[in-house]
C-alpha cells in the first residue's frame, strides 16, 4: 500500500505531540497528549478543534443551482431542490438494492452545490457523480482547501472573536466568513452532537488559522479517538460500520433524512437508486433496524459483538456496529442492528462477550442531549 | 520492583507479590474504562489470562506473571479504572499473588532491563 497521505496540518499535529495513525489513506492524529477521555470531555465542556481535511470537498455546478440540485437528486433520496440558499442538509448516495454507498452533507451556496463526503469513499463518490450527472454538470474536487471542525459550547465564542457573523448562523446555515484575513466557507454543523462549525480553509492558510483558534483559551486540539466516542454518544452513524452498501436508509433508522417530497405521494417521489425497495420499506417496515444499545455493567461491547434474544438462544438477532465507553455518560454505549421485533426502546437483548451473554437495553439515541443552535 | 515482558510489575510485599501494569503500558493503552479482576483464592498458572482491561480504544488481557494463589484484588480499581492511568505503580495495582514457585521470579527483569526493552 502507498504511504499514507498527509493533510496540510500534519506538521502542526506532530508539533502538538499527536499520536498518528493511518486512517482512510491519511496519516491522522488519533489523540494528543491530553488523551481520548479528556479530549472528549473538553469538547463537551468547552471546544475542540478537529482536522477533517481527509474528507472530500466537491463542488457540483451547472447552469443554475436548480440544474445542479435536480441532477444530484437523481442519486440521493433527499430534497435538494427545496434547500434554501446558504442552507446545508444531510443525505446519502443509494445503490439499486437500496443500500447506502456513502453519506454526505450538501449545501446550497447560491450558484452551486458544495458537497462533503467521507474520506474512504471520496474517489468512488466523485467517479459516481461524474459518470451519473451528465455533461451539463461539472463535478470538481476541491484539493486546495483543508477542512477543520470547531465543536462544543465555546465554539461560537471562539469563532465569533474572528468574525461576529459566526454567532448569527443557525444550525445547518452556511456562510462565507473571514478568519485571520482568510476567506473561509463555514457551516454550523458537525459530528459530535454539540453546537459548532465545519470550516473549509485554503491549504496555505490553514495552519495559521488552526493556531489562531487553538490560541483561544477554551479550544484544544482533538483527535480521531474522541471524534469517534463523541459521535457515538451523539447517535451519529459512521459509514462503513453503522451504515454501508448492504443497509438501507430505513434499516439504518434514517427515514428522517428522506423528505416528504421524495416519498410516495410526494411531487418528486422516487427517481433515485433503490427507490422501489426504500419506499416499500418506508411503507411496510424493514426486517431489521439500527438502534442504540446500553450495555449493563461497565464492560464496553464493541463492533462485531453478536446479539441474541435471550441468554440461551442459538441464532443471533443482530450485532453491534459501533461500541465503546461513553466518557460523558460515564458508561458503555453502543449501536447496532436488531430484528424489528426487538427494536423497541427498553427491550433487553444479550451480547456475547468473552463467551458470556451480557444484557443490553435498547436505548434512545442520542445518549447525550444534542446541543444544536436551532 | 521486577518487570515482565508483558509490561507487568511485581513488588514484594511480605510473602506475596503486588502486581500491576507499568506506566509505559497504560500510556500505550490510553484511558482505562473497565477492569475485571480474578477472585481471591483463585489458583493461577503463569500465562493464564486472569485480568481483562478495556481502554477507550480496545480490550486487552493481563496474564498471570507467575504461578500462585490470588490473595487480594484491588476493588478500588474496578470502581475507578483510571487509577491505573494516574498511579500505575501505586493505587493502580491489580492483585496480590502468593508465589508457589519463587524461582519463576528469576525470569523477570529489573528496572534497567525493562527500560532497555521499551526504549
Amino acid at each position: 500500500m502507498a504511504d499514507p497521505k498527509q493533510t496540510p496540518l500534519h506538521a502542526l499535529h506532530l508539533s502538538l505531540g499527536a499520536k498518528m495513525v493511518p486512517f482512510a489513506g491519511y496519516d491522522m492524529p488519533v489523540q494528543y497528549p491530553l488523551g481520548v477521555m479528556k479530549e472528549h470531555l473538553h469538547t463537551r465542556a468547552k471546544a475542540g478543534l478537529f482536522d477533517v481535511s481527509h474528507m472530500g470537498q466537491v463542488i457540483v455546478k451547472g447552469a443554475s443551482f436548480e440544474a445542479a440540485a435536480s441532477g444530484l437528486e437523481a442519486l440521493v433520496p433527499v430534497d435538494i431542490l427545496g434547500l434554501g440558499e446558504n442552507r446545508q442538509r444531510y443525505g446519502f448516495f443509494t445503490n439499486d438494492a437500496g443500500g447506502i454507498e456513502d453519506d454526505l452533507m450538501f449545501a446550497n451556496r447560491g450558484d452551486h452545490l458544495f458537497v462533503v463526503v467521507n474520506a474512504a469513499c471520496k474517489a468512488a463518490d466523485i467517479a459516481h457523480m461524474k459518470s451519473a450527472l451528465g455533461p451539463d454538470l461539472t463535478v470538481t474536487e476541491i484539493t486546495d482547501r483543508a477542512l477543520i471542525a470547531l465543536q462544543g459550547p465555546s465554539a461560537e465564542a471562539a469563532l465569533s472573536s474572528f468574525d461576529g457573523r459566526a454567532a448569527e448562523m443557525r444550525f445547518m446555515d452556511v456562510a462565507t466568513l473571514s478568519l485571520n484575513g482568510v476567506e473561509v466557507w463555514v457551516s454550523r454543523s458537525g459530528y459530535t452532537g454539540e453546537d459548532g462549525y465545519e470550516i473549509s480553509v485554503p491549504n496555505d492558510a490553514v495552519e495559521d488559522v488552526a493556531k489562531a483558534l487553538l490560541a483561544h483559551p477554551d479550544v484544544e486540539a482533538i483527535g480521531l479517538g474522541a471524534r469517534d466516542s463523541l459521535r457515538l454518544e451523539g447517535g451519529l452513524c459512521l459509514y462503513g460500520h453503522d451504515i454501508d452498501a448492504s443497509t438501507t436508509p430505513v434499516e439504518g433508522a434514517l427515514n428522517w433524512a428522506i423528505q416528504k417530497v421524495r416519498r410516495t405521494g410526494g411531487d418528486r417521489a422516487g427517481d433515485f437508486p433503490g427507490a422501489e425497495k426504500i419506499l416499500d420499506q418506508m411503507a411496510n417496515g424493514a426486517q431489521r433496524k439500527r438502534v442504540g444499545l446500553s450495555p449493563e455493567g461497565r464492560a464496553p461491547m464493541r463492533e462485531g459483538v453478536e446479539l441474541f434474544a435471550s441468554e440461551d438462544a442459538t441464532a443471533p438477532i443482530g450485532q453491534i456496529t459501533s461500541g465503546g465507553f461513553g466518557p460523558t455518560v460515564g458508561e458503555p454505549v453502543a449501536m447496532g442492528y436488531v430484528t424489528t421485533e426487538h427494536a423497541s426502546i427498553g427491550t433487553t437483548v444479550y451480547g456475547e462477550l468473552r463467551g458470556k451473554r451480557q444484557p443490553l437495553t435498547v436505548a434512545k439515541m442520542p445518549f447525550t442531549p444534542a446541543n444544536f443552535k436551532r | 520492583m521486577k518487570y515482565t515482558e508483558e509490561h507487568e510489575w511485581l513488588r514484594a510485599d511480605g510473602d506475596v507479590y503486588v502486581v500491576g501494569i507499568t506506566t509505559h503500558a497504560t500510556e500505550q493503552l490510553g484511558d482505562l474504562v473497565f477492569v475485571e479482576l480474578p477472585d481471591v483464592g483463585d489458583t493461577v498458572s503463569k500465562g493464564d489470562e486472569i485480568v481483562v482491561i478495556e481502554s477507550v480504544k480496545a480490550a486487552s488481557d493481563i496474564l498471570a506473571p507467575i504461578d500462585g494463589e490470588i490473595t487480594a484484588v484491588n476493588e478500588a480499581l474496578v470502581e475507578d479504572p483510571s487509577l491505573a492511568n494516574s498511579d500505575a505503580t501505586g493505587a493502580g495495582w491489580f492483585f496480590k499473588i502468593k508465589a508457589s514457585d519463587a524461582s519463576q521470579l528469576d525470569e523477570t527483569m529489573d528496572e534497567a532491563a525493562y527500560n532497555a526493552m521499551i526504549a
Side-chain angles (χ1 to χ4, degrees):
Chain A
M1 207 169 133
D3 284 345
K5 288 181 270 195
Q6 298 181 353
T7 75
L9 289 174
H10 192 266
L12 180 63
H13 299 317
L14 297 183
S15 76
L16 293 171
K19 185 173 171 183
M20 306 297 287
V21 296
F23 182 83
Y26 287 79
D27 196 35
M28 296 298 287
V30 67
Q31 66 174 81
Y32 297 87
L34 205 54
V36 175
M37 188 93 81
K38 291 200 180 85
E39 290 174 28
H40 177 116
L41 295 171
H42 182 88
T43 304
R44 293 238 189 274
K46 292 182 174 172
L49 183 70
F50 304 73
D51 180 12
V52 288
S53 304
H54 56 316
M55 298 185 79
Q57 303 179 64
V58 183
I59 283 178
V60 179
K61 200 167 183 174
S64 62
F65 171 79
E66 287 70 27
S70 177
L72 195 60
E73 276 200 1
L75 306 183
V76 301
V78 178
D79 176 14
I80 306 180
L81 272 166
L83 181 66
E85 188 167 344
N86 295 322
R87 292 288 292 163
Q88 180 179 254
R89 190 165 273 173
Y90 174 77
F92 23 78
F93 294 111
T94 50
N95 60 35
D96 289 340
I100 299 173
E101 290 292 317
D102 193 10
D103 59 351
L104 66 147
M105 289 288 221
F106 54 88
N108 176 347
R109 287 185 52 88
D111 64 344
H112 67 270
L113 273 167
F114 178 60
V115 179
V116 178
V117 298
N118 283 302
C121 302
K122 66 182 175 185
D125 291 340
I126 291 164
H128 178 51
M129 285 189 279
K130 282 187 170 166
S131 74
L133 292 183
D136 295 337
L137 298 182
T138 57
V139 175
T140 311
E141 183 179 4
I142 306 302
T143 55
D144 61 355
R145 296 184 86 92
L147 194 65
I148 56 178
L150 182 66
Q151 300 279 292
S154 299
E156 180 183 283
L159 194 60
S160 26
S161 68
F162 295 92
D163 188 329
R165 291 172 292 180
E168 294 159 20
M169 298 171 71
R170 289 176 301 129
F171 181 59
M172 293 295 227
D173 276 351
V174 299
T176 299
L177 302 184
S178 176
L179 190 45
N180 239 18
V182 178
E183 180 189 297
V184 295
W185 306 341
V186 180
S187 63
R188 193 153 195 169
S189 56
Y191 192 50
T192 59
E194 296 298 325
D195 181 27
Y197 304 87
E198 293 169 295
I199 310 164
S200 175
V201 187
N203 287 339
D204 56 11
V206 70
E207 185 169 325
D208 286 342
V209 165
K211 283 178 176 168
L213 290 169
L214 288 169
H216 190 283
D218 283 358
V219 179
E220 290 281 349
I222 310 295
L224 292 179
R227 181 170 162 84
D228 190 52
S229 55
L230 286 159
R231 70 90 196 166
L232 176 57
E233 281 185 345
L236 300 167
C237 290
L238 175 60
Y239 188 79
H241 301 258
D242 307 306
I243 48 174
D244 62 27
S246 73
T247 60
T248 69
V250 180
E251 292 163 357
L254 298 170
N255 300 28
W256 59 269
I258 304 176
Q259 286 77 20
K260 272 194 177 146
V261 71
R262 304 303 307 275
R263 300 183 184 190
T264 304
D267 283 348
R268 298 193 308 283
D271 283 332
F272 53 84
E276 197 179 334
K277 169 98 170 258
I278 291 167
L279 295 178
D280 173 71
Q281 285 190 341
M282 290 190 88
N284 302 311
Q287 298 280 314
R288 58 175 180 163
K289 192 180 170 199
R290 181 178 63 93
V291 294
L293 295 158
S294 292
E296 281 182 26
R298 290 167 181 254
M301 290 203 225
R302 299 180 194 271
E303 181 177 6
V305 168
E306 288 200 308
L307 299 171
F308 297 86
S310 68
E311 277 180 280
D312 48 13
T314 49
I317 54 161
Q319 67 170 11
I320 290 176
T321 51
S322 284
F325 186 78
T328 300
V329 299
E331 52 188 53
V333 290
M335 64 171 87
Y337 283 82
V338 293
T339 50
T340 305
E341 67 263 35
H342 296 101
S344 312
I345 305 287
T347 307
T348 300
V349 297
Y350 295 83
E352 192 149 305
L353 189 66
R354 296 182 273 271
K356 281 184 276 186
R357 297 270 171 101
Q358 312 264 23
L360 310 88
T361 306
V362 175
K364 194 169 169 289
M365 288 192 288
F367 295 99
T368 48
N371 293 318
F372 304 136
K373 190 181 170 187
R374 303 272 183 192
Chain B
M1 198 117 89
K2 295 291 187 183
Y3 298 86
T4 72
E5 289 182 6
E6 306 290 334
H7 306 283
E8 294 148 304
W9 55 261
L10 299 87
R11 187 177 60 233
D13 177 18
D15 62 344
V16 301
Y17 287 90
V18 187
V19 179
I21 59 172
T22 64
T23 302
H24 171 78
T26 62
E27 284 169 2
Q28 295 298 310
L29 290 163
D31 304 297
L32 294 200
V33 295
F34 173 74
V35 176
E36 189 175 86
L37 296 172
D39 292 327
V40 172
D42 282 0
T43 301
V44 302
S45 301
K46 183 181 174 183
D48 287 355
E49 295 167 359
I50 59 169
V51 174
V52 175
I53 57 175
E54 297 243 12
S55 73
V56 285
K57 295 174 207 159
S60 317
D61 294 314
I62 302 297
L63 310 181
I66 52 174
D67 296 352
E69 182 189 334
I70 304 297
T71 63
V73 296
N74 186 359
E75 295 292 351
L77 183 66
V78 175
E79 289 301 310
D80 181 7
S82 73
L83 290 173
N85 295 100
S86 56
D87 191 6
T89 55
W93 65 279
F94 280 41
F95 56 84
K96 296 182 183 179
I97 185 168
K98 189 171 171 53
S100 56
D101 177 3
S103 73
Q104 286 178 332
L105 269 298
D106 297 345
E107 296 162 34
T108 59
M109 290 174 271
D110 62 14
E111 186 168 355
Y114 179 73
N115 285 339
M117 186 186 90
I118 62 174

